[in-house]
């Protein structure tokens, strides 16, 4: 599989230049004045999540909505060491800039200006603003009302409300439950961007891999492309992003989407990742998938 070319992107309007993924810190910068509990934070998040799920009456509801609602309202913050008390500015995955991989994709001219774009799990809206700046129409979806409000505010402040829309919905209920879109188009998009949504959906109990793949395929028009960022199981430690092996990722959309590009990457630096004792942000996979012109029901092997 060819490697995805990702030169350092230029600064996008309204945002600082994304930090380089291979940025190195010396020992003093790595350690800083952070206590052991804060430094350990996300490395031990699995144990904290286990305790949270154990206290939940419905594991499916926790993985599907409850966990993300709790992150946004501050009642679940294992990355801060105590388990609660977080804020929007302290979300562990928030870098305060568009994902550098998306910025590189756009800078390489791979997103035509007449594209209709969708972001799954749009969160605080930085990447959605990037899409709205470069596509004809950009739609963001998130399951958390506070995320939708934050994304809407970011688009409004960037003057992009007319070419964008943010919807509070469960990704797995799309497109059937999707409302009418502002641009008059349907729920098949030219381009879909997903940063850390897909790999979390895989954790939902009872959700088959095939059903998840079908959901993503239905959201793309024939010939449309998906840019996907997931965790990478080659990472030496659990640091937050859910991890997939190369084999798991390559087989994730069998029969529905074709893998065009796959390579290793690093997630962008966030305040949480900087508090961890590593010289680089968490390891990830960046991949590009396309929906073939043939019926999605036809078997296709990557």
């Amino acid at each position: 599989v060819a490697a995805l070319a990702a030169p350092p992107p230029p600064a996008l309007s309204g945002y600082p230049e994304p930090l380089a993924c291979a940025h190195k810190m010396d020992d003093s910068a790595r350690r800083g004045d952070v206590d052991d509990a804060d430094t350990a934070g996300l490395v031990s998040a699995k144990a904290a999540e286990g305790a949270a799920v154990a206290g939940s009456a419905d594991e499916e509801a926790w993985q599907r909505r409850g966990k993300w609602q709790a992150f946004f309202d501050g009642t679940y913050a294992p990355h801060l060491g105590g388990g609660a008390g977080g804020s929007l500015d302290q979300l562990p995955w928030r870098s305060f800039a568009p994902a550098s991989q998306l910025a590189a994709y756009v800078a390489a001219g791979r997103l035509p200006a007449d594209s209709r774009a969708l972001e799954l799990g749009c969160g605080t809206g930085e990447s959605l603003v990037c899409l709205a700046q470069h596509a004809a129409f950009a739609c963001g979806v998130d399951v958390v009302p506070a995320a939708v409000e934050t994304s809407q505010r970011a688009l409004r402040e960037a003057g992009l409300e007319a070419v964008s829309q943010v919807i509070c919905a469960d990704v797995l209920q799309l497109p059937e439950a999707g409302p009418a879109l502002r641009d008059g188009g349907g729920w098949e998009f030219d381009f879909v961007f997903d940063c850390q949504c897909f790999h979390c959906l895989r954790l939902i109990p009872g959700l088959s891999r095939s059903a998840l793949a079908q959901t993503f395929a239905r959201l793309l028009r024939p010939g449309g492309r998906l840019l996907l960022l997931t965790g990478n199981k080659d990472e030496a430690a659990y640091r937050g992003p859910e991890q997939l092996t190369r084999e798991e990722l390559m087989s994730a959309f069998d029969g529905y989407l074709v893998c065009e590009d796959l390579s290793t990457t690093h997630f962008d630096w966030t305040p949480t990742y900087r508090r961890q004792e590593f010289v680089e942000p968490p390891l990830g996979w960046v991949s590009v998938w396309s929906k073939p012109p043939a019926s999605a029901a036809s078997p296709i092997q990557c």
Side-chain angles (χ1 to χ4, degrees):
V1 180
L4 174 62
L12 296 173
S13 175
Y15 291 106
E17 183 174 355
L19 293 166
C21 288
H23 177 78
K24 303 286 185 181
M25 293 184 289
D26 60 26
D27 286 341
S28 60
R30 254 193 313 132
R31 287 292 306 178
D33 295 321
V34 182
D35 62 33
D36 290 341
D38 203 21
T39 304
L42 212 53
V43 178
S44 60
K46 276 296 186 186
E49 181 171 0
V53 172
S56 170
D58 187 340
E59 183 180 352
E60 179 183 352
W62 169 256
Q63 294 290 356
R64 197 157 174 162
R65 183 187 298 269
K67 177 179 180 179
W68 313 110
Q69 180 66 56
F71 263 120
F72 271 83
D73 66 24
T75 58
Y76 179 67
H79 54 294
L80 299 180
S87 67
L88 289 181
D89 288 347
Q90 295 171 311
L91 292 169
W93 57 83
R94 190 176 187 186
S95 69
F96 298 89
S100 60
Q101 296 85 353
L102 173 63
Y105 189 95
V106 170
R110 301 184 70 176
L111 182 67
D114 61 353
S115 297
R116 300 179 69 248
L118 173 68
E119 182 179 8
L120 301 177
C122 59
T124 46
E126 291 88 351
S127 290
L128 185 58
V129 168
C130 174
L131 285 175
Q133 288 173 325
H134 296 279
F137 176 72
C139 178
V141 175
D142 205 289
V143 74
V144 180
V148 171
E149 293 168 5
T150 306
S151 287
Q152 288 173 331
R153 183 166 58 252
L155 290 163
R156 183 168 58 252
E157 291 174 353
L160 295 166
E161 285 183 291
V163 293
S164 63
Q165 189 169 353
V166 193
I167 293 164
C168 190
D170 185 330
V171 168
L172 297 176
Q173 294 177 346
L174 299 175
E176 289 82 359
L181 295 175
R182 182 171 293 160
D183 72 336
W187 278 87
E188 283 191 331
F189 291 83
D190 302 299
F191 179 76
V192 174
F193 177 60
D194 179 319
C195 179
Q196 301 204 54
C197 182
F198 172 79
H199 66 200
C200 293
L201 293 173
R202 293 176 78 253
L203 301 180
I204 296 174
L207 178 63
S208 71
R209 298 291 185 259
S210 177
L212 182 54
Q214 286 181 51
T215 295
F216 276 67
R218 285 198 300 265
L219 294 171
L220 282 169
R221 67 160 179 81
R225 286 182 169 82
L226 163 69
L227 177 62
L228 182 66
L229 295 176
T230 71
N232 188 327
K233 229 165 206 174
D234 291 338
E235 178 71 75
Y238 178 78
R239 300 178 57 194
E242 298 299 333
Q243 299 169 338
L244 284 77
T245 65
R246 182 186 181 92
E247 292 71 27
E248 287 172 330
L249 184 54
M250 285 297 294
S251 63
F253 300 103
D254 277 357
Y256 300 97
L257 303 178
V258 175
C259 184
E260 294 185 347
D261 295 296
L262 172 64
S263 62
T264 58
T265 189
H266 285 272
F267 290 96
D268 296 321
W269 280 115
T270 72
T272 292
Y273 299 153
R274 287 190 180 280
R275 287 194 294 266
Q276 298 174 353
E277 295 187 27
F278 296 88
V279 297
E280 293 178 315
L283 191 66
W285 296 110
V286 55
S287 55
V288 177
W289 303 78
S290 63
K291 182 174 179 176
S295 168
S298 301
I300 300 161
Q301 299 298 324
C302 292

